Amino acid sequence: MKFISSENPSASETFKLIDDGLRKRALVMVFASCKATYEGRARSRLGSGERVIMLKPDGAFLIHQDRKLDPVNWQPPKSRSKVKMKEGVVYLESIRRAPEERLEVEIENAHMVSYYLIEDSQDLEVAGHEKDMGEMIWKSPEIIEKGFRPTDREYSTSKGFIDILGKDKDGSLMILELKSRKAGITAVKQLRRYLKDFEEDKGKVRGILVAPSITDDALELLEEEGLEFKSVEPPRELNIDKKVTLDFF
């Protein structure tokens, strides 16, 4: 069976279900009153409370409370999880070898335990990042201006990597800093730092901040520095023909 679940199981039933799920490399879910201790790069203790415990086939171990997005305690993929019983109490243990870390959960009272043999072959596709903007501009440089010729991407400087380097129709060097969201002061300062690497260039050098929009204070600083702004929306289309890597759980 792909899915097994038990409500209010005894300690022995809880142990058996979790043990079966781990052996079958299933996704194991436990709703329980529990407490946890962690030792590794730091040390922590979590008192009794009702929580959701998730053990993934890739070794990830997560403890979620009823608030916040992130787990309160966790171990990353490739950790080793196991379940054991001591004096009638169920304990979950997750061990990571490098760096050495250990997370132990004492299950005081299990409300529900289940496991599911998951099959999931899809990778997440994302569009709308700076990388997507860069590819769009590289293929259609007229988006920036007529006559623009991009020559390099991720061009290395002493201050970091320039998103796109190119030349305008008059041969002037153009430095493009791309932002997929509203650009602020930090983006302007970054662009300004890039231009300092070209201060000895004999020709004209133009710095252009490319983003969907810009804050008022950032625009004011741009104008003070003699830099430019170009409003460009990042592409939002997902590549429906993209091949995915099979990674069955």
Side-chain angles (χ1 to χ4, degrees):
M1 295 178 65
K2 288 178 67 69
F3 178 74
I4 302 291
S5 181
S6 177
E7 293 185 11
N8 300 313
S10 65
S12 59
E13 289 173 327
T14 297
F15 170 82
K16 185 179 185 305
L17 275 172
I18 295 174
D19 188 53
D20 286 347
L22 290 175
R23 290 177 184 276
K24 294 177 181 178
R25 295 185 61 80
L27 173 66
V28 179
M29 298 285 292
V30 181
F31 294 82
S33 174
C34 65
K35 51 187 177 183
T37 57
Y38 163 82
E39 289 187 6
R41 291 172 290 180
R43 179 178 291 179
S44 70
R45 180 172 58 206
L46 182 65
S48 297
E50 296 191 329
R51 303 173 182 111
V52 178
I53 306 166
M54 183 185 302
L55 294 81
K56 293 187 177 182
D58 64 1
F61 189 114
L62 312 170
I63 304 175
H64 281 278
Q65 295 179 305
D66 62 349
R67 55 190 182 276
K68 299 183 180 179
L69 177 65
D70 297 324
V72 64
N73 279 107
W74 64 280
Q75 289 276 67
K78 297 184 180 180
S79 299
R80 184 178 178 182
S81 298
K82 63 180 181 180
V83 60
K84 56 188 177 182
M85 284 192 70
K86 292 188 296 185
E87 299 179 354
V89 179
V90 178
Y91 291 86
L92 293 173
E93 184 180 66
S94 176
I95 297 176
R96 185 184 184 191
R97 295 189 180 278
E100 189 173 332
E101 295 178 294
R102 179 176 177 272
L103 175 61
E104 184 181 76
V105 176
E106 177 184 338
I107 298 179
E108 300 172 310
N109 184 27
H111 306 302
M112 188 183 79
V113 179
S114 62
Y115 69 78
Y116 182 34
L117 297 173
I118 286 180
E119 294 182 9
D120 188 348
S121 62
Q122 300 299 315
D123 289 336
L124 178 67
E125 296 180 38
V126 180
H129 289 184
E130 281 87 4
K131 180 181 178 182
D132 303 306
M133 290 181 70
E135 291 177 356
M136 179 177 69
I137 293 169
W138 190 265
K139 293 177 181 178
S140 304
E142 66 277 2
I143 291 173
I144 300 301
E145 66 180 37
K146 188 175 181 180
F148 171 58
R149 293 178 291 109
T151 58
D152 295 277
R153 294 179 65 180
E154 297 297 319
Y155 184 85
S156 179
T157 74
S158 63
K159 305 299 188 300
F161 292 88
I162 294 173
D163 291 324
I164 294 181
L165 191 69
K167 292 187 176 181
D168 64 16
K169 62 181 180 179
D170 298 320
S172 297
L173 194 64
M174 295 175 64
I175 296 173
L176 273 59
E177 172 68 8
L178 311 181
K179 295 297 176 187
S180 61
R181 298 183 179 180
K182 193 172 189 176
I185 288 287
T186 301
V188 179
K189 291 180 178 179
Q190 182 66 50
L191 180 59
R192 184 176 60 187
R193 286 195 291 269
Y194 291 149
L195 262 71
K196 288 185 178 181
D197 264 22
F198 296 86
E199 287 179 336
E200 297 181 2
D201 195 288
K202 295 181 180 179
K204 182 180 179 182
V205 182
R206 298 169 58 191
I208 304 175
L209 180 57
V210 183
S213 59
I214 187 171
T215 61
D216 292 338
D217 55 349
L219 183 59
E220 183 178 343
L221 181 58
L222 266 182
E223 294 172 349
E224 290 177 3
E225 296 291 337
L227 305 176
E228 305 171 48
F229 172 71
K230 176 68 179 180
S231 178
V232 173
E233 289 286 340
R236 302 292 182 182
E237 296 80 12
L238 292 172
N239 183 6
I240 60 175
D241 296 324
K242 178 181 177 182
K243 293 182 180 179
V244 298
T245 301
L246 296 179
D247 185 19
F248 288 98
F249 292 100

